Amino acid sequence: MPISDHTTTAWAGVVQEAVAEVRTRIADARARGGHGQEVTLIAVTKTHGPEAVLAAYAAGVTDVGENRVQEAESKMAQLAIPVRWHLIGHLQRNKAKHALRFSLCHGLDSERLAVALHEEADKAGRTLDVLLQVNVSGEGSKSGIGPADVPAFADRLQALPGLRVRGVLTMAPYEADERVLRTVFSGARAARAQVQAAGHDAGWLSMGMSGDYEIAVEEGATHVRLGTVLFGGRT
């Protein structure tokens, strides 16, 4: 589907203002938190068209997140701009080969998926960057490795050289209060330390979305995944 100049221009103005405000808030939260980390802003464009990706890129955002492989690949086919694509949603094992199209796979949440991703990366002669998804909150509706299982799981991942474990992803409960948010995000920091202790170069923490990203940055987030605050409600 062609993307009109008018549509792109309209998106660009709105998104540019939103990105500027978000970057200011991230810088302030980073200063308050005192962890000294660099923070990557990932524009989550799920359910929005490719014009959202163009608008984000025009505003200086070069990292784009998608939850679904099919939607991401549709946008990739329509765009020729040098953004880094992040797969931030759950990935089924039978779609493991598609993960190779992404710069970072955020949702490594099981050993079976790890093996499938390793095999696809190995066949392609590649190393795939991944984040270990940890269910710090313990919610049944969320996937991920339980915190108590992180050390052993991280040890086993050493046997899969097709994967490079760069850190941890977690998701906080929706509409949680600040105390709960800080508990979850600090728990992700602890999980990352365990992954590092297992010998992985795991410096990244993907946590924080539109409703809680400032607290996440205060608690050490290196990657925040923002959609609504940049693009408005989902279509």
Side-chain angles (χ1 to χ4, degrees):
M1 179 184 300
I3 305 167
S4 72
D5 290 341
H6 173 76
T7 301
T8 302
T9 301
W11 266 102
V14 173
V15 174
Q16 186 146 9
E17 290 183 8
V19 166
E21 180 176 353
V22 162
R23 289 202 187 279
T24 297
R25 290 178 177 271
I26 287 174
D28 291 345
R30 180 173 171 263
R32 290 193 301 270
H35 292 278
Q37 81 278 20
E38 295 298 320
V39 180
T40 297
L41 168 58
I42 301 170
V44 179
T45 57
K46 64 180 183 181
T47 76
H48 295 288
E51 65 273 9
V53 182
L54 289 172
Y57 182 71
V61 180
T62 55
D63 292 83
V64 175
E66 288 288 340
N67 280 56
R68 298 180 183 277
V69 166
Q70 186 173 3
E71 183 176 351
E73 290 183 334
S74 173
K75 291 172 186 173
M76 290 175 185
Q78 297 178 69
L79 299 169
I81 52 177
V83 296
R84 290 180 292 270
W85 293 90
H86 296 246
L87 183 59
I88 62 175
H90 175 71
L91 179 66
Q92 297 175 326
R93 284 189 303 122
N94 61 2
K95 294 184 178 179
K97 67 180 179 181
H98 297 273
L100 298 177
R101 301 198 65 185
F102 295 84
S103 295
L104 181 62
C105 180
H106 288 234
L108 176 57
D109 59 5
S110 73
E111 191 155 357
R112 295 176 73 193
L113 178 59
V115 170
L117 290 172
H118 159 73
E119 290 176 347
E120 293 295 340
D122 187 58
K123 282 191 292 187
R126 289 266 312 277
T127 300
L128 178 65
D129 283 346
V130 299
L131 299 178
L132 177 58
Q133 183 168 350
V134 180
N135 186 358
V136 179
S137 69
E139 292 178 279
S141 60
K142 289 182 170 60
S143 60
I145 307 300
D149 298 324
V150 168
F153 187 65
D155 280 340
R156 293 194 295 274
L157 290 175
Q158 290 286 14
L160 302 177
L163 304 181
R164 180 164 51 189
V165 182
R166 303 303 303 270
V168 164
L169 168 140
T170 201
M171 296 176 63
Y174 293 114
E175 300 183 353
D177 62 28
E178 182 175 338
R179 179 187 61 82
V180 172
L181 292 175
R182 292 193 185 278
T183 297
V184 171
F185 295 148
S186 63
R189 275 205 324 272
R192 179 184 63 178
Q194 292 175 320
V195 175
Q196 290 172 324
H200 299 281
D201 181 20
W204 294 347
L205 275 177
S206 176
M207 58 189 194
M209 297 188 291
S210 290
D212 57 22
Y213 72 93
E214 290 173 85
I215 293 175
V217 171
E218 289 178 15
E219 292 293 335
T222 65
H223 293 68
V224 293
R225 312 177 302 273
L226 307 184
T228 303
V229 72
L230 299 181
F231 305 115
R234 300 174 189 173
T235 57

